[in-house]
Amino acid sequence: MKILICGAGQVGYGIAEQLSAQKNDITVIDSSSDLIENVNKSLDVRTIQGNGSYPHVLDAAGASEADIIIAVTQADEVNMVICQVAHTLFSIPTKIARIRSNYFLNTEYDNLFTRDNIPIDVIISPEKEVGDSILKNLTLPGAFEIIELADKRISLLGVNIEDNCSVVDISLSELTNTYPDINCTVVGINRNNEIIIP
């Protein structure tokens, strides 16, 4: 896949590193010569120094052939403009932007990010993700991993069971009889690094 990444800071660098390791065709754009030099020194990707919201910079980066554009500059507004230009002038199919400000993410403005308005297909909000993760961990103490599925109607939890836990040595069939209020289904067990699917 041909992917353009606008922003060579910590987030952009990390994304470029991961996607280039997966053998994608990556071009990184940033106006900072220092950040571009850092990417050039350590990653096998193409770089362009310039502002990713400028049409001529995106054109030089090969936007007309790109499959995805990822806008992760420090400024929400620049990321939005990058996605708008990518959509309007280059018809890039998938547009991803980092939006940090909660003012843009307020639910009363849900129709802001649509193909007819500001065409962003996926919003990355690290601050919101961290906040959500903290709230989930406070709501479900003891879980080391929480993954929500089916529009948050199902939660997949990772829980360590210590030797002194009351459910140790109870079969799964006995679990619901012993603890009738438990509302869960065990979908996997990792015992001594061996995965068991019940």
Side-chain angles (χ1 to χ4, degrees):
M1 261 193 293
K2 183 168 179 53
I3 303 170
L4 305 182
I5 300 171
C6 299
Q10 186 175 356
V11 174
Y13 182 93
I15 293 169
E17 184 176 38
Q18 289 292 319
L19 293 176
S20 66
Q22 297 171 9
K23 307 296 183 209
N24 291 292
D25 179 3
I26 306 297
T27 301
V28 177
I29 304 165
D30 200 289
S31 54
S32 166
S33 59
D34 291 340
L35 291 176
I36 289 295
E37 185 180 332
N38 182 48
V39 170
N40 279 331
K41 277 196 269 186
S42 50
L43 298 180
D44 184 22
V45 299
R46 182 175 174 230
T47 58
I48 293 183
Q49 185 179 344
N51 188 322
S53 64
Y54 293 170
H56 73 280
V57 172
L58 290 180
D59 192 29
S64 56
E65 294 97 38
D67 301 298
I68 300 172
I69 189 161
I70 303 171
V72 288
T73 72
Q74 292 295 319
D76 293 348
E77 297 81 2
V78 171
N79 294 337
M80 288 185 257
V81 170
I82 289 168
C83 289
Q84 185 69 63
V85 172
H87 175 77
T88 304
L89 298 182
F90 301 103
S91 302
I92 296 178
T94 303
K95 294 154 292 296
I96 301 170
R98 177 169 78 171
I99 306 293
R100 299 170 73 169
S101 172
N102 282 329
Y103 295 113
F104 291 119
L105 301 175
N106 191 319
T107 54
E108 72 181 272
Y109 308 126
D110 280 346
N111 65 344
L112 181 62
F113 301 109
T114 65
R115 288 214 174 262
D116 294 330
N117 296 317
I118 301 174
I120 299 174
D121 301 301
V122 177
I123 292 174
I124 301 170
S125 179
E127 290 79 2
K128 185 176 183 318
E129 291 300 319
V130 168
D132 289 349
S133 178
I134 290 168
L135 285 175
K136 278 191 262 181
N137 285 317
L138 289 173
T139 306
L140 299 162
F144 63 83
E145 184 162 13
I146 303 166
I147 301 170
E148 292 180 328
L149 307 166
D151 293 325
K152 299 184 180 184
R153 292 179 303 204
I154 299 172
S155 294
L156 184 63
L157 305 178
V159 180
N160 284 320
I161 305 295
E162 302 295 331
D163 290 337
N164 61 351
C165 183
S166 60
V167 298
V168 171
D169 294 327
I170 294 178
S171 70
L172 292 178
S173 58
E174 292 177 66
L175 188 62
T176 52
N177 294 334
T178 308
Y179 299 96
D181 294 336
I182 197 166
N183 184 17
C184 74
T185 302
V186 177
V187 295
I189 301 167
N190 182 347
R191 184 177 294 138
N192 299 325
N193 290 324
E194 179 187 347
I195 302 297
I196 303 163
I197 307 297

